[in-house]
Amino acid sequence: MSCDQERHIADELALLLLDTMMAATPPEVPARYASVDSLQRLHADLIVLRDFIYAAANGDLSRQVPLAGYIGGALKTLQANLRHMTWQTKMVAAGDLTQRVDFMGAFSESFNAMLIQFDQTLKELVRKENELNKVNADLLNEIAIRKQTEATLRKSKEKMRKLALTDSLTGLYNRRYFNRLAKEAIIRALRYSRPLSIMVFDIDYFKQVNDTFGHNYGDLVLKEVAKVTREVLRSTDIPARYGGEEFIVLLYETPATEAAEVAERLRRQLEATTMVDSEIGPIKITASFGVSDDFGKIDENHGDRILSEFVTTADRAMYASKNSGRNKTTVYTSKSSPAAAFRSKNLIPNQASREQGPPQNQN
Amino acid sequence: MTDRKYKFAWELLGNIEKGRPNLGLSTRLEVYRLMHFTFRDILEQHLGTDKTDQILYEAGKLAGTEFFKNILSDIKIFNDFLKRLQETLRDFGIGILRVEEADMERGTLTLTISEDLDCSGLPELVDQVCTYDEGFLAGILESFTGSPFKVEEIDCWCTGDRTCRFKAEVIQ
Ligand SMILES: [Zn+2]
């Protein structure tokens, strides 16, 4: 074969292989070379490579590379890497941010940096969320504490208010609150010319109760007296502990005669009630009552003075009961006619008693 | 066989740190391959190719089972297991494991190992040689999943660093 012929054949084969690599549709091996096995194999391998690369370029990584050797090996490595990366990405999508790519050069660096960034951002987010949750929890806690404090404060205010109004032993109103209510009642009664009575009563021989049974029993007696008083009085009557063993009652819209009936009911009930059963026997008491509806006809702007005089008239009536044998009701009324007589009472004539000076201080 | 002379136990690996205070944990890879391929040679001469492959596969499987029991048994989640396996194979210098596919519902995995202990850098051979590796992977997968696995090296190829591709399947 001449040199020209050899060159011609080499040229023809090279063009055939170039076309196999580059043309859109690869040429067949010409029939005259069909018997050249190595050419057939090379041609066939190139076709396989074309197909594999084309498929891979279009995202199909599932094809097998049937070639051994350098190019086949390199393509398999590339395929394996891409498939491993696909799997890693799936893992990342499932939340595993510790995946790292270590075989794709600059891509690996970017991918890993992205994951690290992602991981940090996520951790930062979680941290911030936790912080926020904590702040939120603290706030809720703070609110709860405040609410509790407010409730406690409200309760203690309520308690203070009650304490300020009532007598701690008997639960009845105390003297101060009674005076306030009484002053308002007097002013209203004066303004509208309505009847108003005050009843005062004092436990007879209370000192003896204390001396005989002790102060604890004395306290129990006072409590029981308060209880009986509340039971017997009408719902509109206002009882209070005025001091020691002395009680006072404000009776709205009630003239002295009617107030005296209430007083009598209470007196009888106290007399009939066994106050306490002590170790040395039952304790029974009586009480002396004074009733007055004489709050004068003085200027309504001087409530204090009127009240003091009003109470004094009832007090005098009560001392009149004491002085005439105790366990009685005495009425002091502003009406000119003497009040109706009660079974067990001293009647103090109107003006006369007012002129009498303070009664003797005796229980 | 009731009276075994050489029944394997992890303890038989001995205390290497204590035993080799100067030479340490590592030896040259040629030594490992020298042993591996001389064994294969003699076994094949005595027992034929198939029997040799079977023995190497079973030995690999015993190794994988023991390796899992002593190194990996504390892991419960599959993805954690794969990750730890990757790290461990790398740390032990066994190879660089990559997962191409892992479908545990179907019980199939495609794994590649590059820079493999047994075959990376070998001259190009016609047949796959990583039979011991197949057994090793099967032993590990069986131990983790509790299901029997068949592992086959479907591609053992040559580039700068030889990479092997294994297909693992649950035996139904
Ligand atoms: Zn291999």
Side-chain angles (χ1 to χ4, degrees), chain A residues 321-341:
Chain A
S321 293
K322 291 263 186 203
N323 288 333
S324 60
R326 300 184 176 80
N327 192 19
K328 287 179 182 177
T329 300
T330 302
V331 180
Y332 187 101
T333 176
S334 56
K335 303 261 176 357
S336 50
S337 62

Short mmCIF file of all heavy atoms in Angstrom, two decimals, chain A residues 321-341:
data_model
loop_
_atom_site.label_atom_id
_atom_site.label_comp_id
_atom_site.label_asym_id
_atom_site.label_seq_id
_atom_site.Cartn_x
_atom_site.Cartn_y
_atom_site.Cartn_z
N SER A 321 -83.35 51.22 133.64
CA SER A 321 -83.68 49.79 133.77
C SER A 321 -82.76 49.13 134.79
O SER A 321 -83.19 48.34 135.63
CB SER A 321 -83.52 49.07 132.43
OG SER A 321 -84.47 49.51 131.51
N LYS A 322 -81.48 49.47 134.72
CA LYS A 322 -80.51 48.90 135.67
C LYS A 322 -80.90 49.29 137.10
O LYS A 322 -80.92 48.43 137.99
CB LYS A 322 -79.11 49.42 135.37
CG LYS A 322 -78.50 48.92 134.08
CD LYS A 322 -77.60 47.74 134.31
CE LYS A 322 -76.91 47.37 132.98
NZ LYS A 322 -76.47 45.97 133.00
N ASN A 323 -81.19 50.53 137.24
CA ASN A 323 -81.44 51.04 138.59
C ASN A 323 -82.72 50.48 139.20
O ASN A 323 -82.89 50.48 140.41
CB ASN A 323 -81.51 52.57 138.58
CG ASN A 323 -80.11 53.14 138.37
OD1 ASN A 323 -79.12 52.50 138.73
ND2 ASN A 323 -80.04 54.32 137.77
N SER A 324 -83.61 50.04 138.35
CA SER A 324 -84.87 49.55 138.91
C SER A 324 -84.95 48.02 138.88
O SER A 324 -86.00 47.44 138.74
CB SER A 324 -86.04 50.15 138.15
OG SER A 324 -85.95 49.77 136.78
N GLY A 325 -83.80 47.39 138.92
CA GLY A 325 -83.83 45.93 139.09
C GLY A 325 -83.31 45.10 137.93
O GLY A 325 -83.25 43.89 137.98
N ARG A 326 -82.90 45.76 136.83
CA ARG A 326 -82.32 45.06 135.67
C ARG A 326 -83.31 44.17 134.93
O ARG A 326 -84.43 43.98 135.37
CB ARG A 326 -81.09 44.23 136.07
CG ARG A 326 -79.98 45.09 136.68
CD ARG A 326 -78.75 44.28 136.99
NE ARG A 326 -77.69 45.16 137.49
CZ ARG A 326 -77.63 45.61 138.75
NH1 ARG A 326 -78.55 45.26 139.64
NH2 ARG A 326 -76.67 46.40 139.12
N ASN A 327 -82.82 43.61 133.79
CA ASN A 327 -83.66 42.74 132.96
C ASN A 327 -85.00 43.41 132.65
O ASN A 327 -86.06 42.84 132.80
CB ASN A 327 -83.86 41.38 133.68
CG ASN A 327 -84.46 40.33 132.75
OD1 ASN A 327 -84.40 40.48 131.52
ND2 ASN A 327 -85.06 39.30 133.31
N LYS A 328 -84.87 44.66 132.19
CA LYS A 328 -86.06 45.45 131.89
C LYS A 328 -85.81 46.28 130.66
O LYS A 328 -84.67 46.43 130.23
CB LYS A 328 -86.36 46.42 133.04
CG LYS A 328 -86.91 45.76 134.28
CD LYS A 328 -87.12 46.83 135.34
CE LYS A 328 -87.64 46.16 136.62
NZ LYS A 328 -87.79 47.16 137.71
N THR A 329 -86.91 46.85 130.14
CA THR A 329 -86.78 47.81 129.04
C THR A 329 -87.38 49.13 129.50
O THR A 329 -88.49 49.15 130.03
CB THR A 329 -87.53 47.33 127.80
OG1 THR A 329 -86.98 46.08 127.39
CG2 THR A 329 -87.40 48.32 126.66
N THR A 330 -86.64 50.18 129.31
CA THR A 330 -87.16 51.51 129.63
C THR A 330 -87.21 52.33 128.35
O THR A 330 -86.25 52.30 127.56
CB THR A 330 -86.27 52.21 130.67
OG1 THR A 330 -86.21 51.38 131.82
CG2 THR A 330 -86.83 53.58 131.03
N VAL A 331 -88.31 53.02 128.18
CA VAL A 331 -88.47 53.80 126.94
C VAL A 331 -88.35 55.28 127.25
O VAL A 331 -88.89 55.76 128.23
CB VAL A 331 -89.85 53.53 126.31
CG1 VAL A 331 -90.02 54.34 125.04
CG2 VAL A 331 -90.03 52.06 126.02
N TYR A 332 -87.63 55.95 126.41
CA TYR A 332 -87.56 57.39 126.50
C TYR A 332 -88.06 57.93 125.18
O TYR A 332 -87.47 57.67 124.14
CB TYR A 332 -86.11 57.83 126.73
CG TYR A 332 -85.95 59.30 126.99
CD1 TYR A 332 -85.78 59.79 128.30
CD2 TYR A 332 -85.97 60.23 125.95
CE1 TYR A 332 -85.63 61.14 128.54
CE2 TYR A 332 -85.83 61.58 126.20
CZ TYR A 332 -85.65 62.03 127.49
OH TYR A 332 -85.50 63.36 127.73
N THR A 333 -89.20 58.67 125.25
CA THR A 333 -89.76 59.09 123.97
C THR A 333 -89.96 60.59 123.93
O THR A 333 -90.11 61.25 124.95
CB THR A 333 -91.09 58.36 123.70
OG1 THR A 333 -91.66 58.86 122.50
CG2 THR A 333 -92.08 58.52 124.82
N SER A 334 -89.95 61.12 122.73
CA SER A 334 -90.11 62.55 122.56
C SER A 334 -91.59 62.96 122.63
O SER A 334 -91.92 64.10 122.82
CB SER A 334 -89.54 62.97 121.21
OG SER A 334 -90.19 62.21 120.20
N LYS A 335 -92.48 61.98 122.42
CA LYS A 335 -93.92 62.26 122.45
C LYS A 335 -94.31 62.77 123.83
O LYS A 335 -93.82 62.29 124.85
CB LYS A 335 -94.72 60.99 122.13
CG LYS A 335 -94.34 60.37 120.79
CD LYS A 335 -95.32 60.77 119.75
CE LYS A 335 -95.00 60.30 118.35
NZ LYS A 335 -93.80 59.59 118.08
N SER A 336 -95.23 63.72 123.83
CA SER A 336 -95.60 64.32 125.12
C SER A 336 -96.34 63.33 126.03
O SER A 336 -96.12 63.29 127.23
CB SER A 336 -96.47 65.56 124.90
OG SER A 336 -97.54 65.21 124.01
N SER A 337 -97.14 62.50 125.38
CA SER A 337 -97.86 61.54 126.22
C SER A 337 -96.91 60.45 126.67
O SER A 337 -96.05 60.02 125.90
CB SER A 337 -99.00 60.93 125.42
OG SER A 337 -98.47 60.23 124.32
N PRO A 338 -97.03 59.97 127.87
CA PRO A 338 -96.13 58.91 128.32
C PRO A 338 -96.33 57.65 127.45
O PRO A 338 -97.43 57.36 127.03
CB PRO A 338 -96.62 58.62 129.75
CG PRO A 338 -97.49 59.77 130.12
CD PRO A 338 -98.04 60.36 128.87
N ALA A 339 -95.24 57.03 127.16
CA ALA A 339 -95.34 55.82 126.32
C ALA A 339 -96.12 54.74 127.03
O ALA A 339 -96.21 54.74 128.26
CB ALA A 339 -93.94 55.31 125.99
N ALA A 340 -96.66 53.86 126.23
CA ALA A 340 -97.43 52.78 126.82
C ALA A 340 -96.56 51.97 127.77
O ALA A 340 -95.36 51.83 127.56
CB ALA A 340 -97.97 51.89 125.71
N ALA A 341 -97.17 51.45 128.77
CA ALA A 341 -96.40 50.72 129.77
C ALA A 341 -96.04 49.33 129.26
O ALA A 341 -96.80 48.71 128.52
CB ALA A 341 -97.21 50.60 131.05
#
